[in-house]
Amino acid sequence: MSDRVAVVTGSARGIGRAVALRLAADGFRVVVSDLPGSEGIALVVEDIRVAGGTALGVAADVSDPEEVKTLFERVGAEWGRVDVLVNNAGIARDNLLVRISDAEWAQTIAVNLTGTFLCTRQAIRFMMKQKNGRIINLSSVVGLYGNAGQSHYAASKAGVVGFTRSVAKEYGGRGITANVVAPGYIATAMTEGFSEEAQRQLLQQIPAGRAGTPEEVAAVVSFLASADAAYVNGQVIAVDGGMK
């Protein structure tokens, strides 16, 4: 797969970083993308190159249509194709419904949902010409079941599911699949900031009795990006240890 290209948004750290490293190990040329000013972009690119892979770092705010357009123009100019798109970029700003400001709501939707739309709209043009492609969108178990204090986040992530299933139906006949990976409680820098009580309550809901790892999420993305997943389309795969 040395000629195939995977674009991973929000890949300077956490789950996105793990996905970028895994796809590079799988043989993809990887575009590492995150917000402008993210120091992690260069670090992930270097990690991939040291391991013998090929990577390109391109900063972009996925909520900005012009920056997204420039991102994919750069990919087209450098490598001329997009085989896999992993829409991982996202934000979470927990707040009770009555305290969510208009700006908080708008920003959450803009990054988590509109960003997924903008990147997919650009990538699909490459995939249609190639008559092949994989779109893998990161949602969350919160988007499936809801969660107190996260109504705006849950709405954005539920929207990702509906969007993905629609894309799967629209482009499934052109060799393009679209699927969702919905992580549960994953050990990242973000979740490390949870209080001990919050972590305890979360672990009580997980039969596995532990948090997942970014690498475990990346393994599912790796499968969906592979030829083995050619007949998997419009699905939501939860990586949550059985969390309910």
Side-chain angles (χ1 to χ4, degrees):
M1 291 187 288
S2 60
D3 64 329
R4 302 190 71 201
V5 175
V7 177
V8 186
T9 67
S11 49
R13 60 176 185 164
I15 291 173
R17 176 182 182 277
V19 168
L21 294 175
R22 177 58 187 262
L23 293 180
D26 289 344
F28 286 94
R29 292 180 287 177
V30 178
V31 179
V32 180
S33 185
D34 214 301
L35 285 170
S38 298
E39 296 179 358
I41 295 176
L43 296 176
V44 176
V45 168
E46 181 63 17
D47 286 343
I48 290 173
R49 290 175 177 170
V50 167
T54 303
L56 171 69
V58 185
D61 179 349
V62 298
S63 68
D64 185 316
E66 288 305 313
E67 290 195 25
V68 170
K69 181 181 178 183
T70 299
L71 163 63
F72 283 90
E73 285 177 346
R74 175 79 184 281
V75 177
E78 291 283 343
W79 288 335
R81 60 187 298 122
V82 176
D83 299 278
V84 175
L85 169 65
V86 182
N87 282 306
N88 170 75
I91 59 170
R93 302 285 187 267
D94 294 3
N95 216 341
L96 295 175
L97 173 62
V98 295
R99 295 177 182 171
I100 296 173
S101 68
D102 292 351
E104 285 178 321
W105 174 273
Q107 184 184 31
T108 301
I109 298 297
V111 175
N112 297 355
L113 182 55
T114 304
T116 296
F117 156 69
L118 292 173
C119 290
T120 303
R121 185 173 64 178
Q122 292 292 329
I124 206 80
R125 292 167 177 160
F126 289 92
M127 295 176 181
M128 287 175 64
K129 291 179 182 178
Q130 298 158 190
K131 297 182 180 179
N132 186 269
R134 300 280 189 272
I135 298 164
I136 304 162
N137 297 328
L138 273 289
S139 178
S140 166
V141 292
V142 173
L144 306 180
Y145 307 119
N147 194 36
Q150 292 188 306
S151 58
H152 47 344
Y153 180 73
S156 69
K157 291 300 188 178
V160 167
V161 173
F163 172 76
T164 305
R165 284 178 165 158
S166 298
V167 172
K169 291 184 176 182
E170 192 167 332
Y171 292 97
R174 304 190 184 200
I176 300 168
T177 65
N179 292 286
V180 172
V181 176
Y185 178 30
I186 307 298
T188 64
M190 181 181 72
T191 58
E192 285 174 2
F194 291 177
S195 68
E196 289 186 10
E197 176 61 20
Q199 293 186 46
R200 185 187 66 80
Q201 291 180 1
L202 283 168
L203 291 174
Q204 286 180 338
Q205 302 174 50
I206 304 172
R210 66 173 177 85
T213 68
E215 289 72 23
E216 287 172 319
V217 179
V220 176
V221 173
S222 171
F223 165 68
L224 291 173
S226 74
D228 290 336
Y231 201 56
V232 181
N233 195 24
Q235 302 304 305
V236 179
I237 302 176
V239 186
D240 62 3
M243 184 179 186
K244 293 292 183 289

